[in-house]
Amino acid sequence: FSLKELHGIFPWLVESIFGSLDGIMIGWNLRCLQGRTNPTEYSVALDFLDPSGPMMKLVYKLQAEEYRYDFPVSYLPGPVKASIQEQVLPECSLYHNKVQFPSSGGLGLNLALNPFEYYMFYFAISLITQKNSPITYHVSPSNSAYFILVDTYLKCFLPTEGSVLPPPSSNPGGAIPSPTPRSPAVPFTSYGMHHTSLLKRHIAHQPSVNADPASQEIWRSETLLQIFVEMWLHHYSLEMYQKMQSPHVKLEVLHYRLSISSKHHGSPAQSGYQALHAYQESFKPTEEHVLVVRLLVKHLHAFSNSLKPEPLSPSAHSHTASPLEEFKRVVIPRFVQQKLYIFLQHCFGHWPLDASFRAVLEMWLSYLQPWRYAPEKPPQSAEPLPRSVSEKWAAFIQENLLMYTKLFVGFLNRALRTDLVSPKNALMVFRVAKVFAQPNLAEMILKGEQLFLEPELVIPHRQHRLFMTPTLGGSFFSSWPPTITDASFKVKSHVYSLEGQDFQYKQMFGTEVRNLVLKLAQLICQAQQTAKSISDHSAETLASQSFFSWFRFTPSDMNGSYTGNDLDEIGQDSIKKTDEYLEKALEYLCQIFKLNEAQLTQMMLKCGTAQDENGKKQLPDCIESEDGLILTPLGRYQIINGLRRFEVQYQGDTELQPIRSYENATLVRLLFRLSSALNQRFADQMEVLCSREDFIGRLCRYHLANPHPAQKTKYVPMLKDRTSYNWGPRISLRFLASYRTLISLLMIYFIASWFCIGPVGCTFIILFGYFLYAILMTFFSEGWKPHQH
C-alpha cells in the first residue's frame, strides 16, 4: 500500500481493533482475550500490537509524514470536554495547539492528533468506553491481552533500565521528527500559564531535530503517560476540577469570559451553561479499570526509583542530566499525584460498601509504598521482622501528605459502615492497619503534619499564592518553579494546591480521628464477639446433628429464632481467619495511635456485657422504657450490619403457627382438627385435673398447660402492656406431624420387629416408657414447667 492509502485506512484499522468510541463496536475485545481460552488469537494480537510489531511500524511510518487525524472532543473525559466546550483550554499540554473546529462548519470540536497520539488515545479510552462488551465471568483482568499490552507499553516507553528504544525509521540514519507546533483554530484561554516546553528548549540547543535521539524518546514517553493519565484518571466533577485551579487563574478565566460575553451578547455564557449541564453524568470506574491504574502506579514507582543517584564529583556539573533522567525525577508529582488523589477520593466516596473495594484499596496502598518498588533489596535476616521505612522517603510522604492522612480518614468512615464479621471486610481493615504500622511510617506522617501546622513567619503571602499555582497537570517540560528548601512550605503547598486555601485540615493523629479509631476498635471487638458466637453456634449445631440430618430433618424449636449468617455457609476456617485478621488489625491500630491497653481491655469487657444468660448471643444496644425496649442509633446500626440481633419468635397461638418445612401439611391439618375436637369435648375435665394440687394435678399441668408467652419474650422488643391470651389446658398432637417424629417411630417399629415384637406390643412399650419419663419429669420439675415437643 502507498502512504496515501495507508493514511486512509488507518482510522478504520484502529477502530476495528479497539472498537468504536460509542462502545457499539467492540473490535477485537482485547479485555476478554486470554491465552488460556484463545491461545491463537491471543498471541496474534500481542505480536501485531507489540511496540516493535506491524501496527507500531505503521504508526511510525505515518508519523514521518506528519499526518493528522480528528478525534472528537465529545468522547474526552468529562472535565476536559466541558472545559474545551467553554473555550477554556486545559493546562495539560496534550491538548495545546490541537483543538480546532471541523472544516465543514459542524457543531462538534475535534482534536488534531498525530498517528502515535491517535493510536494511544483509542487504546487508552477503550478501557472506559467498552463497558457493555460481553465479558464472561471467568475472565481474569490481569491475564487479558489488554492488561499485558499496557504492561508492555509501559516497560517499552518508560523503561526502568536503559533508554527507550528508538522507533524504526524508513529513512536510513534518520529519526521520526517530533510533532510541530500548530496554531489554534479557535481562541482559547488556559487554566495554566503558557510555558515553553522543556523539550523545545532542549532541542533549541541542537543543530537539528534529528540530531538528538533522546528528544524522541522523551516525547513518546511523555505523550504515552499523559494519555494514560488523562483517559484513566481525569474523571471527576467539573466543580472539583475548577476547585483545583489557583485564584489568579480563575480571575483570568473570568476576565476572558466577560470580554467574550460583551462581544457576543452572552452566547458563550449560554454555551458554558450547556457544557456544565451536559457534564452531569456519573462516572463509575470498574474493577478492571482500577486494576489497570494500579499497574500504572506500580510501574511509575519502579520507573521513578530507577533514577540514578547524582554524582558528587565537581565534574558532574559539566554534564547535564539526560531528559529521561529528568523525567524520572518528577514524573509522579507532576503527572500523577493530583489526578490520582481526586480519582481515589471519588472511589472512596462512591464505591459500594462491599468486598470489591479491595481493588481500590490495593491501588491506594501501592501508591503509599514506593519503597516496595525500589531497586535495592532489603537485608536478609534470620527472623522475618517488619521492614522499617527509611528516612529517605520522608520527602515523598510529606509531599503526598493528603494521600496518607485524608484518605485514611476516608477509609475509617467506610470501615465503620461495613460488616467486619465478613472475612473480606476484615482483611481490608487488616491490610490498611498493617501498612500504616510499618516501623517509622507513623512518625514520618506525624512529622509531615507538624510541618503543615507550623505558623507562617518567613514566607511572604504573595509568594505562597504564586507557588500554589497547580502545574501538576501540565507538561513535565514546563518551566520550573524556583527551588524551595523549606520543608514546611513544601507540605503546605502540596495541601493547598490539592484542596485550596480555605481547606480545613483534619489531623490524622488529632482527637477527632483518634475517636474514630476508638470506634473502629470497639467495632472490631464486637465483630470478634459476633464471630465467636457464630462459631460456637455452628459447633453446637454440628455436634447435635443426628442420623436424621442425613434426611435433612434437623431438630428445630417450633418457637425458635432465626440465627442465620453468611459465615454459616463460609465455614469454620473463614471464621478463624476473620478472628485473626481483626486481632492483628487491632494490634496494629494500637501501635499506630499508641492506644492504651487499659482502654482496650475495658472496651472488650463492655462488648461482652451485652451477652444473654448463656453468654453466646448479644442483644442490640437499647434502653428500657415504659413501652418496652427501644433501639438506640447504635442498636439500629448493629442490626443493619448484622452485628447483633434480637430473637425473632412467634408470639401467637402455637397451634396456628405456619406449617414448617419439616412438617407434613396434611397431617398438621388433620391433627389440628382432632386436637380441637378433643379439647372442646374434654375442656372442663382437663381444667379440673390441672387445678388439683396433688401429684395428678402436677402431672396434668406438665403435659396439658399452654406455654406462657411472657416466659419466652424476655429479650424481645415489644410493648409491656401487650395482653397475652391464656388458652388454658389443652391437648396438642401437632408434634406427630413432624417428619422427624414419624421417622423415629418407624425406626423403633423396625428395630422391634427384629426382636419379634409386633406393632401392638411395641406401641405399649413406647407408651409405658413415656409414662415413666413423665413421672420422673414431674417429680424433678420445679414449679410449673410447660411441656414442649
Side-chain angles (χ1 to χ4, degrees):
F1 294 97
S2 63
L3 276 177
K4 188 174 182 180
E5 292 175 327
L6 293 175
H7 167 63
I9 66 172
F10 181 69
W12 169 85
L13 180 60
V14 171
E15 189 173 88
S16 301
I17 296 173
F18 302 120
S20 57
L21 295 174
D22 54 13
I24 296 177
M25 188 173 69
I26 62 175
W28 289 6
N29 200 12
L30 297 173
R31 294 165 52 208
C32 299
L33 191 59
Q34 295 202 353
R36 186 176 57 182
T37 55
N38 302 289
T40 304
E41 294 87 345
Y42 176 82
S43 60
V44 168
L46 291 184
D47 291 340
F48 185 76
L49 302 177
D50 189 79
S52 58
M55 189 65 187
M56 291 303 295
K57 290 180 180 178
L58 172 61
V59 169
Y60 295 135
K61 195 173 185 179
L62 296 173
Q63 183 84 20
E65 300 298 325
E66 299 188 7
Y67 285 115
R68 292 294 182 269
Y69 302 92
D70 290 339
F71 188 92
V73 171
S74 58
Y75 291 105
L76 292 175
V80 178
K81 176 179 65 176
S83 300
I84 294 178
Q85 288 174 348
E86 285 188 272
Q87 297 186 352
V88 179
L89 189 65
E91 58 185 19
C92 177
S93 63
L94 187 65
Y95 307 106
H96 292 183
N97 302 324
K98 293 185 176 67
V99 183
Q100 60 179 6
F101 281 117
S103 57
S104 58
L107 299 177
L109 292 169
N110 294 316
L111 295 180
L113 305 177
N114 62 52
F116 184 82
E117 294 169 337
Y118 187 79
Y119 173 83
M120 286 301 173
F121 259 80
Y122 262 88
F123 174 75
I125 209 169
S126 64
L127 180 66
I128 311 298
T129 58
Q130 303 295 327
K131 288 185 178 181
N132 299 324
S133 58
I135 299 179
T136 53
Y137 291 99
H138 65 276
V139 170
S140 174
S142 58
N143 295 327
S144 67
Y146 188 88
F147 195 90
I148 300 300
L149 280 173
V150 171
D151 187 46
T152 304
Y153 289 153
L154 289 175
K155 290 178 179 177
C156 176
F157 297 106
L158 300 172
T160 56
E161 296 180 0
S163 59
V164 182
L165 294 177
S169 175
S170 57
N171 300 325
I176 307 299
S178 58
T180 56
R182 293 169 59 89
S183 58
V186 61
F188 277 88
T189 184
S190 173
Y191 276 125
M193 294 180 295
H194 293 282
H195 303 293
T196 58
S197 171
L198 179 61
L199 171 61
K200 294 177 183 178
R201 290 191 285 113
H202 184 81
I203 298 176
H205 297 285
Q206 309 297 330
S208 66
V209 172
N210 296 333
D212 185 12
S215 63
Q216 295 301 318
E217 69 178 52
I218 288 302
W219 171 79
R220 287 183 296 154
S221 301
E222 181 192 8
T223 301
L224 175 87
L225 183 58
Q226 281 186 323
I227 292 174
F228 283 179
V229 170
E230 287 294 312
M231 296 300 108
W232 296 341
L233 297 181
H234 204 163
H235 295 272
Y236 36 84
S237 65
L238 182 63
E239 179 184 358
M240 179 63 71
Y241 179 76
Q242 293 175 338
K243 176 185 175 182
M244 295 185 297
Q245 312 309 319
S246 61
H248 77 275
V249 173
K250 290 182 179 179
L251 187 63
E252 177 188 349
V253 174
L254 179 62
H255 281 305
Y256 171 79
R257 291 178 181 173
L258 291 176
S259 63
I260 294 295
S261 177
S262 62
K263 293 179 182 179
H264 299 278
H265 307 286
S267 58
Q270 183 179 1
S271 65
Y273 172 78
Q274 292 174 353
L276 281 170
H277 180 72
Y279 179 64
Q280 302 303 321
E281 56 185 4
S282 59
F283 172 69
K284 299 177 182 178
T286 62
E287 190 172 350
E288 180 188 9
H289 181 180
V290 173
L291 290 175
V292 173
V293 173
R294 187 190 179 206
L295 174 65
L296 173 65
V297 169
K298 292 167 65 176
H299 184 83
L300 287 180
H301 273 318
F303 177 71
S304 179
N305 291 335
S306 66
L307 178 67
K308 298 177 182 178
E310 296 183 0
L312 301 177
S313 59
S315 60
H317 291 283
S318 60
H319 303 283
T320 58
S322 68
L324 186 62
E325 294 297 309
E326 294 183 23
F327 188 43
K328 291 178 181 180
R329 183 172 292 108
V330 292
V331 60
I332 290 180
R334 194 163 292 271
F335 277 103
V336 181
Q337 184 195 64
Q338 186 184 44
K339 292 183 174 64
L340 180 63
Y341 172 71
I342 305 300
F343 181 80
L344 283 170
Q345 272 197 316
H346 178 86
C347 292
F348 273 59
H350 297 82
W351 202 278
L353 291 172
D354 56 20
S356 64
F357 185 72
R358 176 77 187 279
V360 179
L361 188 79
E362 294 298 337
M363 175 183 66
W364 173 48
L365 297 180
S366 295
Y367 183 82
L368 298 186
Q369 303 177 86
W371 46 87
R372 290 184 57 192
Y373 313 100
E376 65 268 12
K377 298 293 183 181
Q380 298 294 333
S381 59
E383 298 181 2
L385 298 176
R387 184 183 178 186
S388 177
V389 180
S390 174
E391 286 292 337
K392 76 174 187 177
W393 300 107
F396 178 87
I397 295 172
Q398 293 168 9
E399 294 171 5
N400 291 271
L401 185 63
L402 291 178
M403 287 283 195
Y404 290 89
T405 58
K406 187 175 180 181
L407 292 183
F408 179 82
V409 176
F411 175 77
L412 282 181
N413 292 325
R414 285 186 62 93
L416 290 172
R417 292 178 290 162
T418 55
D419 179 15
L420 297 183
V421 183
S422 170
K424 295 180 180 179
N425 292 335
L427 175 60
M428 287 192 283
V429 176
F430 164 75
R431 287 282 297 123
V432 174
K434 182 180 179 181
V435 168
F436 278 84
Q438 294 179 82
N440 203 32
L441 178 58
E443 289 77 6
M444 286 193 284
I445 296 175
L446 179 59
K447 176 64 176 177
E449 288 192 323
Q450 293 172 349
L451 290 173
F452 174 75
L453 297 174
E454 284 183 3
E456 301 180 22
L457 299 177
V458 182
I459 304 171
H461 182 67
R462 184 175 184 85
Q463 181 186 4
H464 191 184
R465 288 173 62 105
L466 178 62
F467 184 75
M468 276 168 27
T469 303
T471 58
L472 303 180
S475 171
F476 156 70
F477 307 112
S478 304
S479 60
W480 294 82
T483 303
I484 306 298
T485 57
D486 185 6
S488 174
F489 184 59
K490 285 184 178 181
V491 176
K492 292 177 181 179
S493 302
H494 153 72
V495 173
Y496 290 137
S497 65
L498 292 181
E499 291 290 348
Q501 288 183 343
D502 56 348
F503 175 61
Q504 299 296 325
Y505 182 75
K506 185 183 297 185
Q507 299 181 51
M508 178 175 168
F509 295 95
T511 305
E512 186 176 353
V513 177
R514 187 180 180 87
N515 291 334
L516 288 179
V517 174
L518 288 174
K519 286 183 181 179
L520 179 60
Q522 183 178 5
L523 202 60
I524 289 175
C525 294
Q526 294 174 0
Q528 286 179 305
Q529 294 286 347
T530 304
K532 184 177 182 302
S533 64
I534 293 172
S535 177
D536 293 343
H537 172 74
S538 301
E540 289 180 1
T541 303
L542 291 174
S544 62
Q545 283 181 345
S546 62
F547 170 80
F548 301 101
S549 63
W550 297 352
F551 302 95
R552 300 183 67 181
F553 307 127
T554 56
S556 179
D557 185 7
M558 299 280 283
N559 285 331
S561 62
Y562 172 75
T563 59
N565 189 284
D566 58 348
L567 288 178
D568 295 332
E569 301 177 359
I570 295 175
Q572 292 291 322
D573 293 339
S574 294
I575 297 177
K576 292 179 181 178
K577 282 185 175 294
T578 299
D579 189 63
E580 292 175 2
Y581 290 147
L582 294 178
E583 184 177 358
K584 295 298 292 184
L586 194 59
E587 178 184 340
Y588 288 138
L589 289 175
C590 292
Q591 295 177 11
I592 298 168
F593 293 93
K594 306 294 189 294
L595 299 182
N596 191 355
E597 293 184 3
Q599 284 181 323
L600 291 178
T601 304
Q602 183 180 4
M603 189 183 305
M604 296 182 72
L605 291 175
K606 184 179 179 181
C607 292
T609 56
Q611 295 179 339
D612 65 357
E613 294 159 349
N614 296 326
K616 293 175 184 175
K617 297 177 183 177
Q618 299 179 10
L619 295 178
D621 189 67
C622 54
I623 57 176
E624 192 170 354
S625 66
E626 296 179 356
D627 297 330
L629 298 179
I630 298 179
L631 285 171
T632 63
L634 176 60
R636 295 190 188 96
Y637 167 80
Q638 292 167 342
I639 291 180
I640 291 174
N641 290 276
L643 301 177
R644 298 185 184 181
R645 58 177 176 268
F646 289 105
E647 285 193 20
V648 180
Q649 299 176 347
Y650 182 79
Q651 301 295 329
D653 185 3
T654 56
E655 291 297 300
L656 299 179
Q657 292 185 71
I659 298 174
R660 308 300 177 90
S661 60
Y662 52 81
E663 294 177 322
N664 185 282
T666 304
L667 283 179
V668 169
R669 297 186 178 97
L670 291 176
L671 292 172
F672 174 74
R673 293 177 183 177
L674 178 60
S675 301
S676 299
L678 292 175
N679 291 329
Q680 188 175 4
R681 175 69 178 80
F682 301 103
D684 296 335
Q685 290 86 337
M686 289 188 293
E687 186 72 33
V688 173
L689 288 174
C690 290
S691 62
R692 295 173 58 171
E693 296 297 332
D694 54 2
F695 178 78
I696 300 297
R698 292 174 60 192
L699 182 65
C700 292
R701 284 195 298 270
Y702 184 83
H703 292 280
L704 300 178
N706 182 64
H708 197 279
Q711 294 181 350
K712 302 191 67 178
T713 59
K714 185 175 180 181
Y715 298 115
V716 177
M718 60 178 297
L719 296 178
K720 280 191 171 183
D721 58 352
R722 180 176 177 178
T723 58
S724 59
Y725 185 79
N726 188 7
W727 300 96
R730 57 179 178 173
I731 297 173
S732 176
L733 300 176
R734 181 167 176 170
F735 71 97
L736 293 174
S738 170
Y739 288 118
R740 186 189 179 199
T741 304
L742 293 175
I743 294 179
S744 300
L745 291 174
L746 288 176
M747 292 292 296
I748 292 174
Y749 281 114
F750 179 72
I751 295 174
S753 65
W754 290 356
F755 298 95
C756 300
I757 301 176
V760 178
C762 184
T763 303
F764 176 77
I765 293 174
I766 293 174
L767 292 176
F768 180 75
Y770 181 76
F771 181 71
L772 292 177
Y773 168 79
I775 293 175
L776 291 174
M777 292 302 297
T778 303
F779 271 117
F780 291 104
S781 62
E782 297 178 2
W784 190 15
K785 290 189 177 179
H787 173 64
Q788 300 179 21
H789 296 286

